Amino acid sequence: MAITSNSVQNNQNRSGNLNTNAARRAYRTSGGMINVREGETLKGVVSDIHGNRITISMDDGSSFSGTLPEASQYSIGQKAVFQITSLDGGTIYMKAVSQAYLLGMEDTVEQALEEAGLPKSPRNLEVVRSLLENQQSISKQNIMDSLKLCARYPQADVNTVISMKRLGMPMDPASVAQFDNYQNQSHQLLYRMNALTESVNDLLLGLVKENPSIARYAAGEVLNIALDSIPSLEEFNLTAQRQAANAEGMIGTDGVLSPETGDEISSTANGELPSAANDELPPAANDKVPPGADPSSNRAAEGGNSPFARMRQLLTNMADRTAGAKASGEPSTSFIPEQSGHILSAAERSELAGIMEKFSPDKENLSLLRDGTLTAREILTTIKNALPSLSDEDLQALLNTRGFGKLTKGQFLSGWTLSPEGLKEENGIERLYGKMQEQLNELTSLNRMFATRPAGESIVNTTADMQQNMEFMKMLNEQFTYLQLPMKLSQQNAHGDLYVMTRKNALKKSKDNLKVLLHLEMDSLGVLDIHITKEHTNISTTFFVEKEAARKLMEKNADLLKEAINKQGYSFTSEFTAKEKDIDLVHDFMEQDSPAPVGTVTRYNFDLRA
């Protein structure tokens, strides 16, 4: 913000030392003399505005005038503050203090409403206050326009509406609600997935009480949608191993994946959401693991050998160990997330197997269910095939088991989340969102049939909310390269956000410099922010830690990380400090204009709470 006159101006290219010990110097103003020094702030009241000319009246009665391009953003009577950056000859170099809009906020708000001839109602006060906080004009016309805009969205936060207007974002009730969720960090798709799958199970339980025939049809449709998902690499490999053993006559299976599943993994790519996201992920996200490779083998483990892959693997292992240490009940096993042993307790598996004994003749499979070996896909495939012949009594007993509901939920979530290995797959993110959108569309069509039933309204609302969330994410991604990464760890699912702060064109020109922030929230370790900076072959990390115990654990594992990364030819350093604040979605992400300013980051935000 530049103020210029014969004696007062702002030099955009001059940084002047803010020397608070400098001697005072006298300058003549329209109201007499003013004594100032470098680093000092001048406070006053806007006493006159004509076009770009603004006059500031000082507390001592003196005043000065200058040219201010953003003069229309002030109003007569508003308090303003400017800091002196340098004194050079007869010129005072100044800059506007960003907090100037907040000084005397209430006085300015009330005076703006008085000049506009508007009542000082709570709503009007809130709108003008938001305009000032967003550095917008508080002229009568702009206040009136803003009041009309906010009236269109009476349930929305006023600051959300004003912020979206300032950013030039498309606005409708859905986008305003989603922007509010994202701004308040309540936008996580993973939580909406949980809510939607719970609604699906509630719908089936409600239908089976009303009409078993309708429930049978709905259950079949739900299972068709849930099973139409892309197997993770871990699930594909597990099934391939079992098929190979079955071919040798070692075991018998029922409802396993066909050998063509691998082709489906490599060919299905109909997502439209993150159009160029993979190009801007850290290198690990583009390291492809060949379909069919054993994730536990050295080849798969080294598939993503970039520094970011090492960092992610280390933190994933730490999260899994932490979650495993806190887990109660059964001892930890080597079950993958898709296996019934991971999803169900021993008692739940036994209960479900007891129900399935009535319609499944495969005793071997029932034994594999009890010991947790079978996957949710295999069990649900068997159930889906048996649905038409089930008696009403058996159907009701099946749908009322905790095991059926948890397996259905687990199957949906498996298809809607990415494992660390799956994240390395080429086009994996696009494929994930493409299949998710396809399944949501199918659920929407099914849900409309039952919208008038007690449990129907909930599932319609949760499905719509999830779709609107994805549409808003797509809109953000078109301008700012943003997407969520719902992750699947061995002990739990995790929410992730990817913010690429550097603009797309700048990133394509220079891939040697990258800044990322990995944000973790774990029950035992507290909140943890890891800033990672890569400049050519130099990698530095700063760990912002909330708890002392977490700091010690980070320091211990950082040594292992340093050794692994240095072996790859990089120079690695790390430091630890106390965590102070999080990144703001609007101010720290959406309003970044320069290609790679100091402090800009690519953000990973993994919410690792179970």
Side-chain angles (χ1 to χ4, degrees):
M1 188 176 294
I3 284 188
T4 60
S5 70
N6 292 334
S7 61
V8 182
Q9 58 182 280
N10 174 267
N11 188 335
Q12 301 288 348
N13 299 316
R14 186 182 184 110
S15 60
N17 295 324
L18 302 182
N19 183 4
T20 56
N21 296 319
R24 288 184 173 276
R25 299 175 62 179
Y27 290 84
R28 183 176 298 279
T29 70
S30 60
M33 299 295 294
I34 181 174
N35 291 285
V36 294
R37 65 184 178 192
E38 292 181 12
E40 186 177 6
T41 57
L42 300 179
K43 303 179 181 180
V45 177
V46 177
S47 58
D48 192 22
I49 300 175
H50 286 288
N52 288 337
R53 296 285 297 178
I54 187 170
T55 300
I56 308 295
S57 297
M58 311 297 289
D59 292 340
D60 62 0
S62 63
S63 64
F64 61 85
S65 298
T67 300
L68 179 65
E70 297 87 356
S72 62
Q73 295 184 5
Y74 287 91
S75 62
I76 295 176
Q78 182 177 350
K79 296 181 180 179
V81 176
F82 300 92
Q83 186 178 52
I84 299 174
T85 59
S86 178
L87 300 174
D88 186 6
T91 303
I92 301 175
Y93 295 94
M94 308 178 68
K95 68 176 182 179
V97 178
S98 60
Q99 288 85 355
Y101 293 95
L102 303 180
L103 292 173
M105 170 75 78
E106 295 309 313
D107 292 338
T108 301
V109 169
E110 292 185 6
Q111 186 164 350
L113 288 174
E114 288 178 2
E115 294 179 1
L118 295 170
K120 299 177 183 179
S121 67
R123 183 74 166 181
N124 290 355
L125 290 168
E126 189 177 6
V127 168
V128 177
R129 192 178 298 114
S130 180
L131 286 171
L132 288 174
E133 290 173 347
N134 280 274
Q135 301 184 7
Q136 299 295 288
S137 168
I138 53 174
S139 65
K140 177 179 179 180
Q141 187 60 50
N142 198 41
I143 293 175
M144 295 294 293
D145 291 343
S146 299
L147 286 171
K148 292 177 182 178
L149 182 63
C150 291
R152 298 179 194 171
Y153 311 102
Q155 303 303 319
D157 182 80
V158 165
N159 197 59
T160 292
V161 177
I162 301 299
S163 295
M164 292 186 72
K165 175 190 174 185
R166 174 171 61 87
L167 295 168
M169 300 180 69
M171 297 176 67
D172 57 41
S175 65
V176 171
Q178 292 301 328
F179 183 90
D180 197 44
N181 290 336
Y182 276 70
Q183 178 75 342
N184 295 326
Q185 297 295 309
S186 58
H187 63 288
Q188 293 87 346
L189 267 178
L190 189 62
Y191 301 155
R192 284 160 173 76
M193 295 174 189
N194 283 315
L196 176 55
T197 52
E198 292 291 344
S199 296
V200 169
N201 286 325
D202 289 343
L203 175 64
L204 294 179
L205 288 174
L207 290 176
V208 79
K209 294 178 181 178
E210 295 178 35
N211 190 318
S213 296
I214 295 178
R216 183 180 289 102
Y217 166 78
E221 292 300 305
V222 166
L223 292 182
N224 280 333
I225 298 171
L227 293 169
D228 183 26
S229 62
I230 304 169
S232 67
L233 290 173
E234 294 83 356
E235 181 184 0
F236 171 76
N237 292 330
L238 175 70
T239 307
Q241 293 170 5
R242 190 178 302 150
Q243 288 176 330
N246 187 44
E248 297 175 3
M250 296 177 62
I251 62 173
T253 61
D254 180 30
V256 297
L257 301 178
S258 68
E260 287 76 20
T261 305
D263 294 335
E264 183 183 18
I265 289 179
S266 60
S267 64
T268 304
N270 56 0
E272 298 179 354
L273 182 62
S275 58
N278 274 356
D279 293 336
E280 290 145 1
L281 289 174
N286 288 324
D287 293 333
K288 183 177 181 180
V289 177
D294 182 358
S296 63
S297 67
N298 290 335
R299 179 181 179 184
E302 296 297 330
N305 58 2
S306 72
F308 292 99
R310 295 285 185 171
M311 175 70 75
R312 186 178 57 219
Q313 188 61 53
L314 174 69
L315 294 168
T316 297
N317 292 341
M318 290 172 55
D320 284 346
R321 289 201 303 270
T322 303
K326 289 173 65 67
S328 59
E330 297 183 36
S332 60
T333 67
S334 58
F335 293 129
I336 65 172
E338 289 79 9
Q339 283 181 295
S340 57
H342 179 89
I343 301 171
L344 306 179
S345 67
E348 290 166 341
R349 298 196 302 269
S350 179
E351 179 190 22
L352 183 60
I355 298 294
M356 292 181 63
E357 281 180 345
K358 299 179 180 180
F359 56 83
S360 176
D362 194 326
K363 303 301 182 184
E364 180 66 25
N365 259 12
L366 293 176
S367 176
L368 294 176
L369 166 57
R370 287 187 171 92
D371 65 26
T373 303
L374 282 186
T375 64
R377 187 185 302 273
E378 292 169 326
I379 299 168
L380 294 177
T381 298
T382 299
I383 292 174
K384 186 194 73 170
N385 293 336
L387 278 177
S389 60
L390 284 185
S391 66
D392 292 351
E393 181 182 6
D394 288 343
L395 176 66
Q396 191 162 23
L398 174 67
L399 297 185
N400 276 283
T401 62
R402 286 179 55 84
F404 175 81
K406 292 176 70 173
L407 286 175
T408 303
K409 178 177 182 177
Q411 181 61 33
F412 273 116
L413 291 179
S414 176
W416 294 342
T417 54
L418 279 170
S419 67
E421 295 300 326
L423 186 60
K424 301 173 189 175
E425 250 194 302
E426 187 176 4
N427 298 322
I429 298 173
E430 288 95 330
R431 186 164 56 250
L432 171 77
Y433 279 108
K435 178 55 68 175
M436 191 187 304
Q437 186 63 64
E438 181 183 321
Q439 290 180 304
L440 286 175
N441 289 338
E442 293 174 352
L443 280 174
T444 298
S445 299
L446 178 64
N447 297 342
R448 286 172 180 164
M449 299 175 60
F450 309 106
T452 59
R453 285 177 160 77
E457 183 178 359
S458 174
I459 191 171
V460 168
N461 291 337
T462 52
T463 306
D465 182 46
M466 191 166 165
Q467 288 180 309
Q468 291 166 3
N469 189 308
M470 293 172 63
E471 283 299 315
F472 186 82
M473 177 169 34
K474 180 179 178 181
M475 181 182 70
L476 284 183
N477 181 69
E478 289 173 351
Q479 300 182 51
F480 305 102
T481 310
Y482 165 84
L483 59 102
Q484 294 189 49
L485 299 176
M487 296 294 295
K488 178 187 342 182
L489 304 180
S490 62
Q491 294 290 338
Q492 59 194 309
N493 290 329
H495 165 74
D497 286 324
L498 176 63
Y499 296 78
V500 179
M501 307 297 282
T502 306
R503 293 295 182 244
K504 295 181 179 181
N505 292 337
L507 187 60
K508 290 178 180 178
K509 292 178 182 178
S510 176
K511 294 186 177 181
D512 290 330
N513 299 316
L514 185 64
K515 294 178 184 291
V516 305
L517 168 63
L518 182 63
H519 175 79
L520 301 172
E521 293 183 18
M522 294 178 285
D523 290 339
S524 58
L525 297 180
V527 180
L528 170 69
D529 287 341
I530 306 174
H531 290 259
I532 310 168
T533 302
K534 176 181 180 292
E535 296 180 354
H536 299 282
T537 59
N538 296 318
I539 296 178
S540 60
T541 60
T542 302
F543 294 81
F544 293 89
V545 191
E546 186 179 52
K547 296 183 179 180
E548 179 66 15
R551 182 189 64 79
K552 293 180 180 179
L553 181 60
M554 292 293 108
E555 286 181 326
K556 179 180 179 180
N557 284 274
D559 292 337
L560 301 176
L561 179 64
K562 178 178 180 179
E563 181 180 355
I565 292 180
N566 286 348
K567 285 182 180 179
Q568 300 175 49
Y570 294 92
S571 175
F572 178 83
T573 60
S574 63
E575 61 177 315
F576 297 83
T577 187
K579 174 177 169 53
E580 295 181 354
K581 70 182 187 71
D582 288 326
I583 289 183
D584 181 88
L585 173 70
V586 174
H587 297 100
D588 295 336
F589 173 55
M590 300 177 70
E591 294 183 339
Q592 292 294 325
D593 295 323
S594 57
V598 176
T600 59
V601 298
T602 298
R603 173 177 174 182
Y604 279 93
N605 172 344
F606 290 93
D607 185 350
L608 296 179
R609 292 172 293 188

